[in-house]
C-alpha cells in the first residue's frame, strides 16, 4: 500500500519533469525560449491532449510560489533607497500606463465585442495586469533587470500588483451580490497587513537570521529563508493582496543584510523548479475545447486586446522619454495578460459580474497571450536588430582561456595588451559587431557575447578562467556581472573598470579583488604634467603625486566605511575669495 501511494506521488512528478526536460531544450534549440517550451509541454500533458493531469488549477495555485520566490530574489537586488528612488516610475509611468490601458481595453470590449459596461471593464482590467512571471523571466535571461529599461519594467509591474486591491474592490462594488461596505474593510485590512510586513521586515528579519546563523547549520538557514518567503506571501494572500508583492517587499528589506547572498543561494533551487512548474500549469489550463468552439471570437479578442494594450504601452513609453527602440522593446514584453487576471476573473464570476462562459473566454485569451508573447518578443528583437549585421562575427561558445576580458572598447583594448605581452591566453567578448570586425582587421579575435548573461559567461570560459577583467563602461551592467561571477565562478579573481568614485565604493563593498576608476591614472599624469609645465622640479612633482595617491586611497577607504562626504578633509580645496565689504573696499 505504501509503495502504491509513493508511486502515485512520484509518477506525476516524473511526467512533469520528463515533459520539461524534452520540451525546454528543444524549444531553446530553435530559438523559441524556455517559457514557450514549458507552455507547450503543459498543453501536451494537460487535460486537453494526453489527459495525464485533470486538475490544472490546483497545480497552478501551488506553482505560483515560484513567482513568489522569483519576486523575493528580485527584491534582494533592490536596496530600499533604490525602490524609493523609483517612486516616480511606479506612480508616474506605471499609473499612467495602467489607467490608460484599462480605459482603452474597456472601450475595445464595449465597441468591438458589444460587451456590457461592467463586463467590458472586467475583461480589460484583467488583461492589463501583465504576467510578472513571463516579463521577469525574460529580463533575468537577458540580464536587463538592473538596466534603466529593466527598472522601468519592474516599476510598472509593481504598480500592476498594487492595482489588484482596488480592482477587487471595484468588483465588489459592481457585484449584485455585494452586502454593504466590506470592500472598504478589505482595503483597511490590506493597508494594515502591508504596514505589519514592513515593520517585521525592518526590525525583525536581521536578528532572526543572525540567530539562525549561530546554529551553523545550512539547512536551518534554508528553512528560515523559506519561512520568510512563504510567511510574507501568506500574510498578503490573507489580506487580499498579491503574494508576490509581499515576498518582493520582504526581499527589499533584506537587500542590505549581510545574509543576503546566503539567502539568495538557498532560495534559488526552489525558485527555478517552481517557476517551471508554473508555466507548465498555465499550459495545462488551456482548454482546447473552448478554443475549438469559439476560435474566431478568441482570435479576434486576442488581436484586439493585444493591439489596444500595445498602443497604450508604446505611447506611455514615448511620453516618458523612451526612444522608439526602447518603446517597441517594452511593448513586446507587456502585450500579454498575466496570472493576476485569473484572480480577478474568478472573483468577478463569484460575484456575479461575469458568467462562467465569459470567464472561460477571458481566461483563455490571457493564456493564449502569455503563450504568444515570447514569439512576438523574438520577432521584435529580430526587427530591432536588423541594422546590426553579424557577418564575420562569431558568438562566444566553448571558449577557454586563463583570463576572460569582457568589453573590448578603448579601455579593454589597452588593458589586454599587458597580459598578451606575457603570452597569457585571453578569451575576449564584446557586444558591438562593428568593433569586433574592426578588431579583426588588426589581428584580434573577439567573440560576440553579452557578459551580463550567465549562459554567455559560461560559454566564454568563465568557469575555468583564473581571472575576469570587466572593462565595460556601463556601471550597472558591470556590477551585475560582478554579482554573477561571485556566485557562479568563485575560482576567478575579479578585476573591474569602475565608472566613477561612487561606483568604485560600490565595487569595493561588493568584495571585488581589484577596481580602478577609468580616468584616475590619466588624471594623475595630467596633474603632474601641469606642475612640470610650470617649471617644478621632478622631485616635487613625484612627491605631490605620491601624496595625492595616498590621500585619495585613504579617502576612498573612509567612504567605503561611511558615505560620500567621508574623508572630505583629505582634499586640497581652492579657497573661495570673500566678497569685498564696504569697509574693506574703502581701504
Amino acid at each position: 500500500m505504501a509503495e502504491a501511494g509513493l508511486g502515485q506521488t512520484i509518477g506525476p512528478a516524473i511526467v512533469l519533469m520528463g515533459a520539461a526536460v524534452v520540451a525546454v531544450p528543444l524549444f531553446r534549440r530553435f530559438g523559441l525560449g524556455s517559457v514557450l517550451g514549458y507552455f507547450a509541454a503543459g498543453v501536451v500533458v494537460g487535460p486537453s491532449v494526453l489527459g495525464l493531469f485533470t486538475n490544472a488549477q490546483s497545480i497552478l495555485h501551488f506553482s505560483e510560489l515560484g513567482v513568489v520566490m522569483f519576486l523575493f530574489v528580485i527584491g534582494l537586488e533592490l536596496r530600499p533607497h533604490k525602490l524609493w528612488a523609483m517612486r516616480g516610475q511606479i506612480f508616474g509611468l506605471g499609473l499612467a500606463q495602467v489607467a490608460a490601458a484599462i480605459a482603452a481595453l474597456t472601450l475595445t470590449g464595449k465597441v468591438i465585442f458589444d460587451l456590457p459596461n461592467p463586463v467590458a471593464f472586467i475583461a480589460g482590467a484583467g488583461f492589463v495586469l501583465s504576467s510578472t512571471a513571463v516579463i521577469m523571466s525574460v529580463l533575468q535571461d537577458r540580464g536587463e533587470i538592473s538596466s534603466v529599461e529593466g527598472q522601468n519594467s519592474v516599476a510598472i509591474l509593481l504598480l500592476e500588483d498594487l492595482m489588484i486591491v482596488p480592482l477587487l474592490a471595484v468588483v465588489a462594488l459592481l457585484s449584485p451580490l455585494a452586502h454593504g461596505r466590506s470592500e472598504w474593510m478589505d482595503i483597511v485590512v490590506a493597508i494594515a497587513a502591508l504596514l505589519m510586513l514592513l515593520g517585521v521586515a525592518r526590525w525583525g528579519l536581521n536578528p532572526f537570521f543572525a540567530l539562525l546563523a549561530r546554529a551553523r547549520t545550512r539547512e536551518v538557514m534554508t528553512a528560515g529563508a523559506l519561512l520568510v518567503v512563504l510567511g510574507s506571501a501568506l500574510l498578503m494572500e490573507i489580506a487580499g493582496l498579491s503574494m508576490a508583492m509581499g515576498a518582493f517587499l520582504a526581499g527589499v528589506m533584506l537587500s542590505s543584510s549581510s545574509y543576503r547572498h546566503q539567502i539568495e543561494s538557498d532560495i534559488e533551487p526552489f525558485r527555478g523548479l517552481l517557476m517551471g512548474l508554473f508555466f507548465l500549469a498555465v499550459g495545462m489550463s488551456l482548454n482546447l475545447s473552448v478554443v475549438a468552439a469559439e476560435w474566431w471570437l478568441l482570435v479576434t479578442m486576442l488581436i484586439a486586446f493585444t493591439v489596444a494594450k500595445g498602443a497604450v504601452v508604446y505611447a506611455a513609453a514615448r511620453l516618458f522619454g523612451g526612444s522608439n527602440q526602447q518603446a517597441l522593446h517594452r511593448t513586446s514584453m507587456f502585450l500579454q495578460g498575466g496570472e493576476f487576471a485569473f484572480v480577478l476573473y474568478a472573483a468577478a464570476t463569484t460575484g456575479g459580474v461575469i458568467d462562467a462562459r465569459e470567464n472561460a473566454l477571458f481566461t483563455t485569451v490571457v493564456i493564449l497571450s502569455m503563450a504568444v508573447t515570447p514569439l512576438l518578443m523574438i520577432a521584435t528583437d529580430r526587427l530591432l536588430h536588423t541594422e546590426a549585421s553579424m557577418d564575420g562575427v562569431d558568438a562566444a561558445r566553448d571558449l577557454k582561456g586563463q583570463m576572460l576580458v569582457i568589453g573590448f572598447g578603448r579601455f579593454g583594448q589597452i588593458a589586454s595588451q599587458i597580459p598578451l605581452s606575457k603570452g597569457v591566453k585571453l578569451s575576449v567578448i564584446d557586444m558591438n559587431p562593428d568593433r569586433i570586425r574592426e578588431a579583426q582587421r588588426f589581428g584580434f579575435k573577439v567573440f560576440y557575447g553579452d557578459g551580463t548573461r550567465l549562459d554567455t559567461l559560461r560559454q566564454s570560459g568563465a568557469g575555468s578562467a583564473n581571472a575576469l577583467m570587466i572593462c565595460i563602461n556601463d556601471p550597472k551592467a558591470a556590477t551585475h556581472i560582478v554579482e554573477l561571477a561571485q556566485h557562479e565562478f568563485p575560482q576567478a579573481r575579479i578585476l573591474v573598470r569602475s565608472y566613477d568614485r561612487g561606483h568604485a565604493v560600490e565595487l569595493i563593498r561588493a568584495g571585488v579583488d581589484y577596481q580602478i576608476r577609468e580616468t584616475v591614472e590619466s588624471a594623475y599624469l595630467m596633474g603632474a604634467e601641469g606642475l612640470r609645465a610650470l617649471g617644478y622640479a621632478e622631485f616635487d612633482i613625484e612627491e605631490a603625486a605620491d601624496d595625492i595617491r595616498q590621500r585619495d586611497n585613504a579617502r576612498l577607504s573612509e567612504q567605503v566605511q561611511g558615505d560620500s562626504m567621508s574623508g572630505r578633509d583629505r582634499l586640497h580645496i581652492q579657497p573661495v575669495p570673500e566678497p569685498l565689504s564696504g569697509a574693506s573696499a574703502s581701504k
Side-chain angles (χ1 to χ4, degrees):
M1 293 291 291
E3 290 181 357
L6 185 61
Q8 292 175 355
T9 303
I10 294 178
I14 290 176
V15 170
L16 291 173
M17 287 188 287
V21 166
V22 171
V24 173
L26 187 63
F27 273 70
R28 287 184 66 90
R29 177 70 180 82
F30 288 102
L32 299 176
S34 58
V35 173
L36 199 57
Y38 282 119
F39 282 153
V43 171
V44 171
V45 302
S48 297
V49 181
L50 297 181
L52 301 178
F53 296 89
T54 56
N55 191 0
Q57 289 302 315
S58 62
I59 298 176
L60 181 64
H61 188 67
F62 173 75
S63 62
E64 283 178 11
L65 292 176
V67 183
V68 168
M69 292 182 182
F70 194 14
L71 267 292
F72 178 76
V73 172
I74 298 303
L76 289 175
E77 304 293 332
L78 285 174
R79 304 289 195 276
H81 69 272
K82 286 186 179 180
L83 186 61
W84 177 249
M86 291 169 60
R87 65 190 184 280
Q89 293 106 300
I90 295 173
F91 295 104
L93 171 61
L95 187 59
Q97 177 176 309
V98 169
I102 289 177
L105 289 170
T106 301
L107 187 63
T108 300
K110 180 174 177 57
V111 173
I112 297 180
F113 301 103
D114 198 27
L115 298 175
N117 288 337
V119 177
F121 173 81
I122 295 299
F127 201 84
V128 165
L129 301 177
S130 309
S131 174
T132 303
V134 171
I135 295 173
M136 295 303 288
S137 293
V138 170
L139 289 175
Q140 187 186 51
D141 287 345
R142 297 180 175 182
E144 295 178 356
I145 290 177
S146 60
S147 68
V148 174
E149 265 304 290
Q151 296 297 292
N152 286 334
S153 298
V154 170
I156 295 168
L157 288 172
L158 286 175
L159 194 281
E160 289 181 353
D161 278 358
L162 287 170
M163 284 299 296
I164 192 65
V165 180
L167 286 176
L168 288 174
V170 171
V171 168
L173 287 172
L174 295 175
S175 173
L177 308 178
H179 299 289
R181 303 188 306 172
S182 62
E183 62 272 8
W184 300 110
M185 183 58 66
D186 290 343
I187 294 176
V188 172
V189 169
I191 294 173
L194 269 175
L195 294 175
M196 181 188 301
L197 175 63
L198 291 174
V200 171
R202 174 66 179 84
W203 291 289
L205 291 186
N206 267 324
F208 172 69
F209 280 105
L211 179 65
L212 296 183
R214 284 197 285 270
R216 298 183 180 277
T217 306
R218 178 69 181 267
E219 55 267 26
V220 172
M221 285 291 287
T222 302
L226 289 172
L227 177 62
V228 168
V229 176
L230 300 180
S232 58
L234 179 62
L235 177 63
M236 291 297 98
E237 185 179 42
I238 291 173
L241 288 166
S242 158
M243 292 194 297
M245 185 176 67
F248 174 81
L249 290 175
V252 170
M253 300 308 292
L254 276 171
S255 62
S256 300
S257 169
S258 57
Y259 306 103
R260 167 192 163 200
H261 294 299
Q262 176 68 52
I263 295 168
E264 186 174 355
S265 63
D266 288 341
I267 290 294
E268 185 64 26
F270 300 97
R271 192 272 302 173
L273 285 172
L274 288 172
M275 279 289 286
L277 183 60
F278 172 79
F279 291 127
L280 281 167
V282 171
M284 291 181 211
S285 302
L286 182 62
N287 191 333
L288 293 183
S289 61
V290 173
V291 175
E294 311 221 35
W295 68 270
W296 175 249
L297 178 60
L298 287 171
V299 170
T300 307
M301 191 173 290
L302 175 63
I303 294 172
F305 278 16
T306 300
V307 170
K309 184 178 181 182
V312 170
V313 175
Y314 179 84
R318 294 306 303 270
L319 286 173
F320 281 82
S323 66
N324 179 60
Q325 183 164 342
Q326 290 171 333
L328 288 173
H329 179 66
R330 190 187 305 165
T331 300
S332 69
M333 284 197 298
F334 279 86
L335 286 176
Q336 84 293 125
E339 49 275 6
F340 297 124
F342 306 148
V343 177
L344 186 68
Y345 293 155
T349 305
T350 302
V353 182
I354 62 176
D355 59 33
R357 173 184 172 274
E358 291 165 338
N359 182 14
L361 279 173
F362 301 155
T363 299
T364 303
V365 169
V366 169
I367 294 173
L368 289 173
S369 73
M370 292 172 74
V372 169
T373 294
L375 294 174
L376 294 175
M377 292 180 66
I378 292 169
T380 302
D381 286 346
R382 290 178 178 173
L383 176 67
L384 294 178
H385 288 87
T386 51
E387 71 280 2
S389 171
M390 299 298 287
D391 291 340
V393 176
D394 296 325
R397 186 168 297 165
D398 298 327
L399 305 184
K400 301 292 181 184
Q402 295 169 267
M403 179 183 293
L404 171 60
V405 179
I406 303 170
F408 201 64
R410 53 190 170 84
F411 189 97
Q413 291 168 18
I414 298 172
S416 62
Q417 285 293 293
I418 294 178
L420 286 171
S421 71
K422 293 299 182 181
V424 174
K425 185 178 180 183
L426 304 182
S427 299
V428 186
I429 62 173
D430 196 276
M431 287 185 62
N432 188 324
D434 293 331
R435 185 181 297 145
I436 293 173
R437 281 189 288 267
E438 185 67 18
Q440 289 176 352
R441 292 180 56 207
F442 293 89
F444 289 95
K445 184 57 181 176
V446 180
F447 293 88
Y448 181 84
D450 181 358
T452 62
R453 294 176 58 121
L454 182 57
D455 57 342
T456 299
L457 291 176
R458 286 175 173 153
Q459 289 288 349
S460 302
S464 58
N466 296 323
L468 270 61
M469 189 183 291
I470 304 171
C471 302
I472 60 178
N473 63 357
D474 183 341
K476 289 185 177 180
T479 302
H480 181 63
I481 296 171
V482 167
E483 293 178 349
L484 288 176
Q486 288 176 329
H487 291 163
E488 303 293 334
F489 315 113
Q491 88 291 342
R493 292 175 62 82
I494 304 174
L495 322 173
V496 193
R497 164 195 185 179
S498 58
Y499 180 75
D500 54 18
R501 180 174 289 271
H503 188 215
V505 169
E506 183 181 357
L507 291 171
I508 294 170
R509 287 174 177 167
V512 300
D513 296 288
Y514 180 77
Q515 64 75 33
I516 184 169
R517 281 167 282 155
E518 59 185 24
T519 58
V520 68
E521 285 296 330
S522 57
Y524 287 151
L525 293 174
M526 179 66 82
E529 199 60 36
L531 290 181
R532 195 171 286 113
L534 295 175
Y536 279 77
E538 286 300 318
F539 173 80
D540 293 330
I541 295 172
E542 291 179 7
E543 182 182 50
D546 289 342
D547 174 60
I548 295 304
R549 288 177 188 274
Q550 291 173 10
R551 285 172 175 267
D552 187 75
N553 289 333
R555 181 178 168 225
L556 195 62
S557 297
E558 291 181 34
Q559 288 176 319
V560 170
Q561 302 300 323
D563 56 29
S564 61
M565 297 302 292
S566 300
R568 185 182 177 188
D569 57 319
R570 298 184 182 277
L571 291 170
H572 289 293
I573 305 297
Q574 174 73 32
V576 179
E578 294 184 5
L580 293 174
S581 65
S584 61
S586 66
K587 289 183 178 179

